[in-house]
Amino acid sequence: MNQTVTMTVNGKQVSASVDPRTLLVQFIREHLQLTGTHVGCDTAQCGACTIHLNGRAVKSCSMLAVQAEGASITTIEGIANGAMHPVQQAFHECHALQCGFCTPGMVMSAIQLLQDNPKPSEAQIREALEGNICRCTGYHNIVRAIEQAAARG
């Protein structure tokens, strides 16, 4: 039996009837057609599905859509207002991506880090990214991009 779920996604209230077993990442991608949030592993290991739920970075493959009832969610599509978010800009300038599959999750995790710690050390950046896997670039340019975004404030 389906259940109605209502939440705010990228500043807009949405409501839909979903199977109670629907993962939040499936709801975001399939019901809302916001495909910037990626599905990598379905086991909360890779971080490609990272979003912000009530202001905190979470892996959307590790929770059900019904658990987000009444929540405020921001996806990669919702972080910029007409221009790239400063973290996205730094990723672009520092060539911190290759295939781009992990990039949305990395960006969302980096934004969370910089909200919590505006001037993180390299070690703190690397620790904050432990839940995000990049299979293409290694992490040097990603760390540089986050350092650059932090330096710009």
Side-chain angles (χ1 to χ4, degrees):
M1 174 174 229
N2 280 0
Q3 187 171 341
T4 300
V5 63
T6 302
M7 63 189 77
T8 302
V9 179
N10 299 331
K12 296 178 184 171
Q13 188 169 19
V14 298
S15 186
S17 178
V18 297
D19 182 305
R21 297 169 294 179
T22 301
L23 294 173
L24 182 56
V25 70
Q26 293 169 317
F27 179 76
I28 291 167
R29 290 181 57 82
E30 296 167 16
H31 288 272
L32 304 179
Q33 300 297 302
L34 296 172
T35 57
T37 301
H38 294 157
V39 179
C41 66
D42 275 336
T43 59
Q45 300 297 311
C46 75
C49 67
T50 302
I51 60 161
H52 291 175
L53 175 83
N54 295 329
R56 303 300 304 167
V58 299
K59 295 175 181 175
S60 61
C61 77
S62 66
M63 66 183 299
L64 301 171
V66 295
Q67 291 176 293
E69 172 65 34
S72 177
I73 292 174
T74 304
T75 68
I76 192 73
E77 292 91 346
I79 63 169
N81 292 326
M84 282 195 274
H85 185 280
V87 172
Q88 288 175 306
Q89 185 64 41
F91 268 61
H92 171 73
E93 292 170 3
C94 293
H95 309 287
L97 54 101
Q98 278 189 359
C99 81
F101 193 81
C102 71
T103 305
M106 290 280 187
V107 167
M108 298 304 283
S109 292
I111 291 169
Q112 178 72 63
L113 168 65
L114 296 177
Q115 286 173 350
D116 293 345
N117 181 358
K119 300 293 181 193
S121 67
E122 179 180 339
Q124 290 169 322
I125 292 170
R126 290 182 181 279
E127 183 178 338
L129 295 179
E130 284 180 350
N132 296 80
I133 297 173
C134 175
R135 292 175 175 91
C136 296
T137 67
Y139 297 87
H140 179 73
N141 288 349
I142 294 168
V143 171
R144 273 188 354 150
I146 297 168
E147 288 172 331
Q148 180 173 305
R152 289 182 179 166

